[in-house]
């Protein structure tokens, strides 16, 4: 991953929080004949040392990961096109071009399959709890018939990845002047879809909060 210094994110707590906010990861694996990519929801531990997941036994990943190998998982956050028209500097000198702002985290490490029924049951319960906890009436596996859940568990396999490298890249106009960053925030606030608004919120949350470089809240 190309990582200019001003876009690099190294704070482990920040990276773990990102994975929990965006748990659907793109698992990239080198198979026997080609490279595969599968979207799978993951759990990450508090220290950012391991990822846990599960997938269908019918997935060719079962064969690809049978002997264990190093894999890459890509987690993506909000993203949006950035028009040159957002920049006040466009009116000053015109030396601006379009770009794209986004946030992503990559995890690389050794993957191994987990076949133990207890491990898989715990994985399912933990992932479900993480996603259901904030709901008015949280669902849990215990709400479904036991024989139904047992059949579902037999159809999946667990996956654990020991993270060797965890790195993030937030491309959020840090290379622009404060005036231009404010212009980007204002431009994103005018967009009609929710993702640009989420991107603006991330920009406000991760850029300086004090001093002359602190962005002003828009809207």
């Amino acid at each position: 991953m190309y990582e200019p210094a001003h876009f690099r994110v190294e704070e482990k707590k920040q990276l773990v929080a990102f994975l929990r906010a965006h748990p659907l990861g793109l698992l990239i694996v080198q198979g026997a004949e080609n490279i595969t990519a599968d979207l799978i929801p993951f759990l990450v531990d508090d220290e950012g040392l391991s990822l846990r997941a599960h997938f269908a036994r019918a997935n060719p990943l079962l064969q690809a990961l049978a002997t264990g190998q190093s894999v890459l998982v890509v987690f993506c956050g909000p993203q949006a096109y950035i028009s040159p028209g957002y920049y006040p500097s466009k009116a000053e000198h015109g030396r601006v071009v379009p770009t794209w702002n986004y946030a992503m985290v990559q995890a690389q490490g050794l993957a191994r399959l987990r076949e133990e029924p207890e491990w898989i049951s715990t994985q399912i319960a933990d992932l479900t709890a993480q996603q259901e906890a904030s709901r008015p009436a949280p669902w849990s596996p215990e709400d479904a018939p036991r024989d139904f859940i047992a059949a579902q568990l037999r159809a999946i396999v667990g996956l654990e990845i020991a993270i060797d490298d965890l790195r993030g890249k937030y491309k959020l106009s840090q290379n622009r002047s404060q005036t231009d960053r404010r212009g980007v925030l204002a431009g994103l606030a005018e967009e009609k879809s929710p993702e640009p608004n989420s991107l603006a919120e991330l920009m406000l949350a991760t850029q300086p909060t004090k001093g002359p470089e602190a962005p002003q809240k828009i809207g």
Side-chain angles (χ1 to χ4, degrees):
M1 177 170 63
Y2 176 52
E3 296 177 276
H6 39 270
F7 299 149
R8 187 180 303 129
V9 179
E10 297 178 325
E11 173 58 47
K12 186 65 71 70
K13 289 183 179 180
Q14 188 174 352
L15 297 175
V16 169
F18 184 96
L19 296 188
R20 288 180 174 159
H22 308 281
L24 189 64
L26 183 64
L27 173 64
I28 301 172
V29 176
Q30 176 64 63
E33 299 180 357
N34 52 27
I35 298 173
T36 64
D38 289 84
L39 283 170
I40 297 176
F42 284 89
L43 287 168
V44 62
D45 68 308
D46 292 341
E47 291 75 31
L49 298 177
S50 69
L51 293 170
R52 288 189 287 143
H54 65 277
F55 59 89
R57 287 186 176 276
N59 192 320
L61 277 173
L62 185 63
Q63 288 73 42
L65 296 176
T67 58
Q69 64 166 285
S70 182
V71 299
L72 178 68
V73 189
V74 181
F75 300 86
C76 293
Q79 52 80 28
Y81 171 77
I82 305 301
S83 170
Y86 292 167
Y87 302 136
S89 60
K90 174 179 176 291
E92 298 175 12
H93 49 65
R95 295 190 298 274
V96 294
V97 295
T99 190
W100 217 281
N101 277 8
Y102 57 86
M104 67 181 300
V105 172
Q106 294 186 2
Q108 187 168 342
L110 183 64
R112 66 167 175 150
L113 300 176
R114 299 297 301 257
E115 298 275 2
E116 309 93 314
E118 184 176 352
W119 191 99
I120 297 173
S121 295
T122 299
Q123 153 66 17
I124 294 296
D126 290 347
L127 180 61
T128 302
Q130 176 176 281
Q131 299 303 311
E132 291 280 340
S134 62
R135 297 179 182 274
W139 183 90
S140 77
E142 296 178 356
D143 294 338
R146 287 189 178 183
D147 58 343
F148 172 77
I149 293 297
Q152 296 295 307
L153 292 176
R154 289 193 295 271
I156 62 177
V157 63
L159 173 65
E160 187 172 30
I161 301 173
I163 299 175
D164 297 324
D165 186 41
L166 184 64
R167 59 183 64 200
K169 181 180 180 181
Y170 288 8
K171 184 178 178 295
L172 303 174
S173 299
Q174 299 97 318
N175 57 328
R176 305 298 307 184
S177 69
Q178 181 56 34
T179 300
D180 277 353
R181 290 202 295 272
R182 290 176 181 171
V184 170
L185 287 168
L188 292 174
E190 294 298 319
E191 297 288 344
K192 304 303 181 183
S193 60
E195 193 151 24
N197 295 327
S198 296
L199 182 67
E201 291 175 3
L202 183 61
M203 289 179 64
L204 285 168
T206 57
Q207 293 193 37
T209 57
K210 297 181 180 180
E213 291 301 300
Q216 303 299 309
K217 187 173 181 180
I218 302 298

